[in-house]
Amino acid sequence: MKLYIVVIILIIAVLSSGWYAYLHKKTRISLRYLYKDNLVNISLCCVTFCLLSKYIPLWLAALISFAAVLGYFALLFGIRFYRIPFLRGRHLQLTENDVLSPADGNVIYIKRIESGQVPCAVKNAREATLHEVMQTEMMEGPCWMIGINMTPFDVHRNAAPLAGEIVLNHHVNGEFVSLKDENALGRNERNTIVINHDGALVGVVQTASRLVRRIDTYKKEGDTVRRGEWFGMIRFGSQVDVIIPASWQVSVELGQQIYCKETLIAKIQ
């Protein structure tokens, strides 16, 4: 009997660890979740098995516990996805020249966009032309464009990188296709806001991904936002692009994991 219980616990551990390892490979979630959420998931499943085995046959308790691997994962995923990060240093002592990251994720590119050039969001070597930013004067000078890839475990609420007035809030309805599709970035739902900060224009582009339901926007054109104020959320989102003047000093590097309202992505020169 004891050996049977040990085998069940080992199977639960293998199933849960294999699932988290698969997510790390496919979505680039941090390995720390293999040691944090995964251990919580295994513990919850083992407790479920021990409790059920007192009232129902062992084989049935085992089957329910195996299924609970995905059930508890969904619960933990939902908590992480919809959480609001009040803690962990996300209220910093800032200067007027600090530009905050609007999203959690890892930096996938930092590229220079020349004056008059239409910026393009890029993922997996596929491009989406962001014609909407040309409705403003943003591209009258050269800019930096920083791409931030959001994994499923990143916070999906987005915050203003700087304070100012929203001069553009442009929504593009999507066809809800996978970003693996050749033209996905151009067809998926996205929302672009441009903030006027003391005469300088800063753009934030939210691009949704597969399984998306919608991009929520909490602000409209003409509203003012504070630096670090939540302005929207991508439900099952994938990418956020930030466009800033080329004269500003970029403070992040390729591949760096950054955090919304915590990481300084640039300095105003």
Side-chain angles (χ1 to χ4, degrees):
M1 182 66 69
K2 291 183 179 180
L3 178 62
Y4 182 83
I5 294 175
V6 170
V7 171
I8 295 301
I9 292 175
L10 287 177
I11 293 175
I12 289 173
V14 169
L15 289 175
S16 183
S17 300
W19 176 243
Y20 277 90
Y22 171 79
L23 288 176
H24 168 70
K25 180 179 179 180
K26 298 296 291 185
T27 68
R28 294 184 288 186
I29 65 171
S30 173
L31 270 177
R32 69 178 183 271
Y33 297 116
L34 187 61
Y35 309 108
K36 293 173 62 177
D37 291 41
N38 181 37
L39 293 180
V40 174
N41 196 18
I42 292 172
S43 299
L44 290 173
C45 291
C46 290
V47 169
T48 299
F49 170 71
C50 293
L51 291 176
L52 291 178
S53 62
K54 296 180 179 180
Y55 304 102
I56 61 177
L58 286 177
W59 66 268
L60 182 56
L63 289 179
I64 295 175
S65 300
F66 296 156
V69 168
L70 291 181
Y72 286 126
F73 162 79
L75 174 63
L76 295 170
F77 168 77
I79 292 173
R80 286 202 174 274
F81 189 90
Y82 288 100
R83 75 191 187 276
I84 300 177
F86 289 114
L87 305 177
R88 208 173 59 79
R90 297 205 177 188
H91 297 283
L92 306 178
Q93 296 296 321
L94 304 171
T95 70
E96 293 182 356
N97 295 331
D98 292 332
V99 184
L100 287 176
S101 172
D104 279 17
N106 51 79
V107 179
I108 53 176
Y109 55 76
I110 302 171
K111 59 181 181 177
R112 182 183 173 94
I113 310 296
E114 298 302 329
S115 177
Q117 181 181 352
V118 182
C120 294
V122 181
K123 183 161 186 175
N124 298 330
R126 297 173 183 131
E127 297 185 348
T129 305
L130 308 176
H131 293 285
E132 53 267 28
V133 302
M134 305 305 287
Q135 300 175 31
T136 70
E137 300 174 352
M138 171 176 289
M139 302 312 302
E140 289 188 356
C143 293
W144 289 113
M145 186 170 184
I146 304 171
I148 305 170
N149 175 68
M150 304 168 71
T151 72
F153 282 13
D154 287 317
V155 171
H156 276 62
R157 296 178 187 270
N158 301 129
L162 284 169
E165 178 187 357
I166 296 178
V167 296
L168 177 72
N169 190 340
H170 186 93
H171 184 86
V172 176
N173 291 324
E175 299 179 24
F176 310 120
V177 296
S178 169
L179 282 174
K180 294 180 181 179
D181 188 288
E182 182 177 355
N183 301 309
L185 274 178
R187 295 162 56 194
N188 276 37
E189 182 171 355
R190 70 174 182 268
N191 196 77
T192 302
I193 72 165
V194 176
I195 301 171
N196 185 332
H197 173 77
D198 294 336
L201 298 180
V202 177
V204 181
V205 183
Q206 303 164 288
T207 303
S209 184
R210 176 171 55 178
L211 302 179
V212 71
R213 288 186 289 177
R214 64 180 179 271
I215 297 177
D216 296 336
T217 302
Y218 311 148
K219 298 290 183 178
K220 60 182 183 298
E221 290 182 13
D223 287 350
T224 58
V225 290
R226 303 183 306 275
R227 178 175 51 187
E229 181 180 0
W230 301 114
F231 69 80
M233 179 178 184
I234 315 175
R235 296 186 183 273
F236 305 104
S238 176
Q239 185 166 314
V240 170
D241 288 89
V242 187
I243 305 173
I244 60 175
S247 60
W248 296 3
Q249 179 183 350
V250 176
S251 304
V252 292
E253 300 177 351
L254 286 176
Q256 179 180 343
Q257 175 68 36
I258 61 179
Y259 299 96
C260 179
K261 302 178 67 171
E262 177 179 350
T263 305
L264 305 181
I265 62 170
K267 282 272 192 180
I268 300 174
Q269 299 294 303

